[in-house]
């Protein structure tokens, strides 16, 4: 697509309007060059905006010249002079700045033809000053009203309340910045918000230094989603999303952060200390005692375990399995790879898990942990997570450096155990619901039956726990 000469595309992809001030107006206007950010990466949008601006500036330059020049010659006088055959030299300065000079027989003949044609379609009025073009006034729904509408379409209770609150917090940060900006304070039309405003927000967040670059990236990720909704709902013009491209943390930084500040797996000595019966008895709640054991033998996420229903604890081809899926009430999976059948380890059966399932069914319950709070911000396993954190503190077990230890560390422990045992990655990825294995899943489908998974994975998930001692603590 051909780009107009007054358009400049920066390395960032953003377009700018650039126009030189005519030489005869530079001294009067005090400008040599006009440069304005258009606020878009779309060439078509940039061309449309710049064309309108070019016309407006052309009119403004014409106004400046008309205001300074003497009254131009009357068109009737010129026509009369040519018709009478009198040769009269004159100079006519057009609004565009072009000077038409008539000073010879040939010029007079051409001028006579031109003016005769113009006279046939109507006489010219005297040149008048053209008022400058005012920028369009953007109207429509206000930003505050749009936010209230957006909140109503956020996912329901099956999505973590924590995620919903994070989205609301990101929009609230932007709203607070808008209110604190004098030029934008008060009611702001949603359609008036531009990429420049989001750029200023990013600069404000960075300069304030109160949150990390990873948090800022999360803010902008949620703001991108907000403007995508606004476009779909018809509240914001289609085209460039103003929140995109501002805050992007490199993959290298994310990897380094995960290595230095991520979850750390447990050592065999720590596993022994954690599940020593007398120490383990300090945790009183049933879910707080059961969930770490289930995590140790499945490598699942704690809220996947916390959301299990009794119908998910069943047998497939005579093998006990956990069916992790979205079927049922209050279900949630992190991604599509979370849906799987994980064979139940024999140690869990020895600890009385299937007896618990039968007992709860006899009571008419439907959940494996019926007393869990499914409305809490961090999911139904939140209370068990807090109890386990206190358990680690009592045992003085902590991560090295800036790392973390908790429920999620069991997931790292299981994956590391299976990887060290050289279990094929597609198998332990499926076993734990980890990674992008959608391609190999079809290729290895026959190998991923519960029996096959149990044969490959269970022998390497033996931790030497005091099963009989722990069994007395569980129901």
């Amino acid at each position: 697509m051909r780009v107009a000469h007054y358009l400049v595309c920066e390395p960032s992809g953003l377009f700018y309007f650039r126009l030189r001030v005519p030489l005869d107006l530079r001294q009067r206007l005090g400008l040599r060059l006009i440069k304005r950010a258009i606020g878009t990466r779309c060439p078509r949008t940039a061309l449309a905006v710049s064309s309108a601006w070019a016309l407006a500036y052309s009119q403004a330059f014409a106004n400046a010249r008309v205001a300074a020049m003497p009254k131009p010659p009357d068109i009737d006088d010129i026509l009369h002079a040519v018709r009478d055959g009198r040769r009269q030299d004159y100079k006519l300065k057009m609004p565009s700045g072009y000077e038409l000079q008539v000073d010879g027989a040939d010029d007079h003949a051409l001028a006579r033809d031109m003016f005769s044609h113009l006279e046939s379609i109507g006489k010219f009025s005297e040149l008048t000053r053209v008022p400058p073009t005012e920028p369009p006034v953007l109207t429509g729904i206000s930003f505050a009203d749009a936010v209230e509408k957006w909140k109503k379409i956020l996912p329901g209770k099956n999505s973590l309340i924590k995620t919903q609150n994070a989205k609301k917090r990101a929009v609230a940060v932007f709203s607070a910045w808008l209110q604190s900006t004098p030029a934008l304070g008060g009611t702001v039309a949603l359609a008036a918000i531009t990429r420049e405003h989001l750029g200023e927000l990013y600069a404000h967040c960075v300069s304030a230094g109160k949150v990390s670059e990873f948090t800022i990236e999360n803010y902008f990720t949620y703001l991108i989603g907000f403007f995508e909704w606004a476009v779909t709902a018809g509240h914001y013009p289609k085209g460039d999303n103003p929140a995109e491209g501002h805050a992007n943390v490199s993959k290298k930084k994310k990897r380094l952060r995960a290595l230095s500040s991520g979850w750390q797996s447990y050592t065999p000595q720590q596993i022994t200390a954690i599940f020593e019966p007398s120490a383990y008895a300090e945790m009183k709640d049933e879910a707080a005692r059961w969930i770490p054991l289930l995590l140790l033998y499945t490598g699942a996420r704690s809220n996947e375990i916390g959301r299990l229903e009794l119908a998910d604890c069943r047998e497939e081809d005579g093998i006990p399995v956990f069916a992790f899926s979205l079927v049922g009430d209050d279900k949630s999976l992190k991604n599509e790879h979370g849906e799987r059948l994980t064979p139940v380890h024999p140690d869990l059966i020895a600890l009385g898990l299937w007896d618990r399932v039968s007992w709860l069914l006899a009571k008419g319950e439907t959940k494996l942990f019926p007393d869990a709070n499914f409305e809490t911000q961090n999911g139904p396993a939140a209370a068990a997570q807090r109890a386990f954190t206190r358990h680690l503190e009592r045992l003085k077990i902590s991560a090295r450096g800036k790392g973390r230890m908790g429920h999620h560390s069991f997931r790292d422990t299981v994956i590391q155990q299976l990887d060290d045992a050289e279990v094929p990655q597609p198998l332990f990825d499926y076993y734990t619901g980890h990674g992008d294995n959608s391609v190999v899943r079809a290729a290895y489908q026959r190998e991923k039956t519960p029996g096959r998974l149990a044969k490959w994975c269970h022998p390497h998930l033996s931790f030497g726990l005091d099963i009989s001692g722990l069994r007395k603590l569980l129901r």
Side-chain angles (χ1 to χ4, degrees):
M1 179 178 177
R2 186 174 182 270
V3 179
H5 66 87
Y6 38 76
L7 272 181
V8 177
C9 184
E10 298 289 344
S12 64
L14 289 174
F15 282 92
Y16 285 79
F17 175 86
R18 186 176 182 274
L19 184 66
R20 290 185 180 276
V21 176
L23 290 172
D24 60 313
L25 293 177
R26 289 182 182 180
Q27 185 174 0
R28 290 185 54 210
L29 300 179
L31 292 171
R32 295 182 65 257
L33 188 70
I34 296 170
K35 187 174 181 181
R36 294 179 58 184
I38 299 178
T40 183
R41 288 184 170 86
C42 176
R44 295 187 181 277
T45 303
L47 184 59
V49 174
S50 62
S51 296
W53 286 359
L55 177 61
Y57 278 113
S58 177
Q59 292 174 336
F61 294 154
N63 294 341
R65 291 190 177 98
V66 170
M69 69 180 289
K71 181 181 177 182
D74 186 89
I75 202 71
D76 291 327
D77 293 340
I78 295 172
L79 286 173
H80 179 72
V82 174
R83 285 200 187 104
D84 290 347
R86 293 183 289 111
R87 184 169 183 269
Q88 178 179 333
D89 296 342
Y90 57 86
K91 185 182 292 184
L92 179 63
K93 194 169 187 177
M94 307 300 286
S96 63
Y98 179 75
E99 293 183 351
L100 175 63
Q101 185 169 345
V102 180
D103 57 2
D106 292 339
D107 284 347
H108 278 286
L110 290 173
R112 183 174 60 249
D113 293 339
M114 179 185 72
F115 289 132
S116 297
H117 172 69
L118 294 176
E119 185 186 32
S120 67
I121 60 175
K123 293 183 179 181
F124 284 113
S125 60
E126 293 183 1
L127 288 173
T128 58
R129 183 168 184 172
V130 181
T133 304
E134 295 292 333
V137 178
L138 294 171
T139 59
I141 189 172
S142 70
F143 173 74
D145 290 341
V147 170
E148 293 304 313
K149 287 179 177 290
W150 169 75
K151 287 179 180 178
K152 295 178 181 178
I153 59 92
L154 290 177
K157 65 178 182 179
N158 285 349
S159 176
L160 281 179
I161 299 175
K162 182 178 181 180
T163 303
Q164 296 182 33
N165 289 341
K167 293 179 179 180
K168 293 176 183 177
R169 190 179 306 114
V171 175
V173 167
F174 183 40
S175 179
W177 178 83
L178 288 175
Q179 293 297 324
S180 66
T181 304
L184 299 171
T187 303
V188 181
L190 178 64
I193 295 174
T194 65
R195 174 172 286 276
E196 184 178 357
H197 296 139
L198 274 299
E200 291 293 335
L201 171 66
Y202 175 70
H204 168 74
C205 290
V206 172
S207 61
K210 295 181 179 179
V211 293
S212 69
E213 58 183 331
F214 300 95
T215 301
I216 296 173
E217 183 186 47
N218 288 338
Y219 286 165
F220 277 84
T221 297
Y222 295 135
L223 285 170
I224 289 171
F226 169 77
F227 281 100
E228 286 176 350
W229 163 83
V231 170
T232 303
H235 300 310
Y236 194 83
K238 293 182 179 180
D240 185 36
N241 189 317
E244 286 183 341
H246 297 284
N248 294 311
V249 181
S250 68
K251 291 183 178 179
K252 180 179 179 180
K253 284 187 177 181
K254 291 179 180 179
R255 286 195 299 268
L256 292 175
R257 185 198 191 198
L259 290 172
S260 63
S261 306
W263 294 99
Q264 296 178 4
S265 60
Y266 295 112
T267 65
Q269 296 76 17
Q270 289 172 332
I271 293 292
T272 300
I274 288 170
F275 294 103
E276 197 279 319
S278 61
Y280 207 64
E282 294 295 322
M283 292 192 295
K284 306 300 182 182
D285 185 72
E286 291 181 2
R289 292 179 179 180
W290 267 113
I291 289 180
L293 287 164
L294 295 174
L295 298 177
L296 178 65
Y297 288 102
T298 62
R301 301 170 180 87
S302 58
N303 278 308
E304 289 179 331
I305 295 294
R307 295 180 188 277
L308 281 174
E309 295 185 346
L310 299 178
D312 300 321
C313 305
R314 61 175 190 261
E315 291 190 359
E316 291 282 337
D317 299 327
I319 298 176
V321 300
F322 294 119
F324 294 103
S325 72
L326 293 173
V327 178
D329 298 326
D330 305 304
K331 290 297 191 70
S332 177
L333 294 175
K334 185 173 183 179
N335 52 48
E336 66 272 21
H337 314 299
E339 189 164 349
R340 63 198 186 277
L341 290 177
T342 301
V344 179
H345 196 283
D347 283 0
L348 292 175
I349 301 298
L351 286 166
L353 178 63
W354 245 230
D355 293 337
R356 176 179 176 81
V357 171
S358 299
W359 170 64
L360 290 172
L361 285 172
K363 290 179 61 178
E365 299 288 356
T366 60
K367 305 281 190 182
L368 184 59
F369 301 107
D371 296 330
N373 183 357
F374 290 85
E375 302 296 331
T376 187
Q377 173 172 293
N378 292 320
Q385 290 170 351
R386 292 192 295 271
F388 186 73
T389 299
R390 292 191 294 269
H391 179 57
L392 293 180
E393 291 173 352
R394 287 192 295 269
L395 297 174
K396 296 183 180 180
I397 293 176
S398 60
R400 298 174 59 192
K402 298 180 181 180
R404 293 180 290 172
M405 276 188 168
H407 271 181
H408 202 79
S409 296
F410 290 115
R411 183 168 175 80
D412 293 79
T413 302
V414 170
I415 292 174
Q416 182 176 309
Q417 286 274 113
L418 298 177
D419 189 31
D420 289 345
E422 298 184 354
V423 174
Q425 183 174 348
L427 291 177
F428 72 70
D429 274 348
Y430 184 88
Y431 186 89
T432 59
H434 179 269
D436 184 4
N437 51 26
S438 56
V439 175
V440 299
R441 180 172 294 188
Y444 286 86
Q445 191 65 43
R446 292 182 60 188
E447 297 185 4
K448 290 184 178 179
T449 61
R452 184 69 171 169
L453 289 168
K455 180 181 178 180
W456 274 96
C457 300
H458 285 173
H460 308 294
L461 298 177
S462 180
F463 301 97
L465 303 186
D466 183 354
I467 300 298
S468 61
L470 290 169
R471 177 71 179 86
K472 298 174 184 178
L473 303 176
L474 302 170
R475 185 179 181 182

